[in-house]
Amino acid sequence: MNWKRVFAVWFLIAAAESVHGTLRRLFLVPRIGELLSHQIGVVVGSAIIFTITWLTIRWFGPGSHREQLQVGALWVVLTLIFEFTLGYFFGYTFERILADYNIPQGGLMVFGVLFMFIAPVMAARARGLIE
């Protein structure tokens, strides 16, 4: 497996998700509100993550189930660091950032992060790369 490519794919996912988040905030939030927009964003974001992973899985080459989970775990850690750092620089409180992960209050980001973790396994199976 090529770890430089794994990082490159994560940067591509982060960039695509950043564009997605910006477009969601500009066009969807004013029409349907913050909470529902975030919830829809988790579903659309998961589709973006899966599509990018599916398109690149052969390129970065995780051969075993274990390597696929390692890639997913790395992407989750990088994403959480990115989100919390970006939130901090935008002036969000820690409570505000965590609100997206609060399931009882409608935050679905936990599911998005879990999806990111298993996306390499799902993409490998969809592409016929089962170990």
Side-chain angles (χ1 to χ4, degrees):
M1 177 167 50
N2 186 320
W3 287 102
K4 287 181 183 178
R5 291 180 178 183
V6 169
F7 278 101
V9 172
W10 177 80
F11 278 112
L12 179 60
I13 290 170
E17 288 289 353
S18 295
V19 170
H20 165 247
T22 300
L23 293 174
R24 182 186 55 77
R25 182 161 292 288
L26 289 173
F27 298 108
L28 205 54
V29 170
R31 287 174 177 74
I32 63 172
E34 190 75 32
L35 180 61
L36 185 56
S37 171
H38 272 280
Q39 292 171 338
I40 292 170
V42 169
V43 175
V44 173
S46 295
I48 291 168
I49 291 166
F50 180 77
T51 301
I52 292 171
T53 305
W54 184 83
L55 289 170
T56 61
I57 191 90
R58 291 181 193 270
W59 182 65
F60 65 84
S64 69
H65 183 76
R66 181 179 181 190
E67 287 179 339
Q68 294 156 11
L69 290 175
Q70 288 173 336
V71 168
L74 175 64
W75 286 353
V76 166
V77 169
L78 292 172
T79 298
L80 291 174
I81 291 169
F82 178 73
E83 278 197 16
F84 281 78
T85 303
L86 197 61
Y88 173 79
F89 282 114
F90 279 134
Y92 294 142
T93 65
F94 190 64
E95 291 77 22
R96 166 60 186 90
I97 296 167
L98 286 178
D100 291 337
Y101 296 86
N102 189 330
I103 295 169
Q105 292 182 356
L108 301 179
M109 280 298 293
V110 169
F111 299 112
V113 170
L114 289 173
F115 185 84
M116 178 175 269
F117 175 65
I118 63 167
V121 173
M122 293 173 53
R125 288 195 179 166
R127 294 293 296 245
L129 301 176
I130 302 169
E131 55 177 357

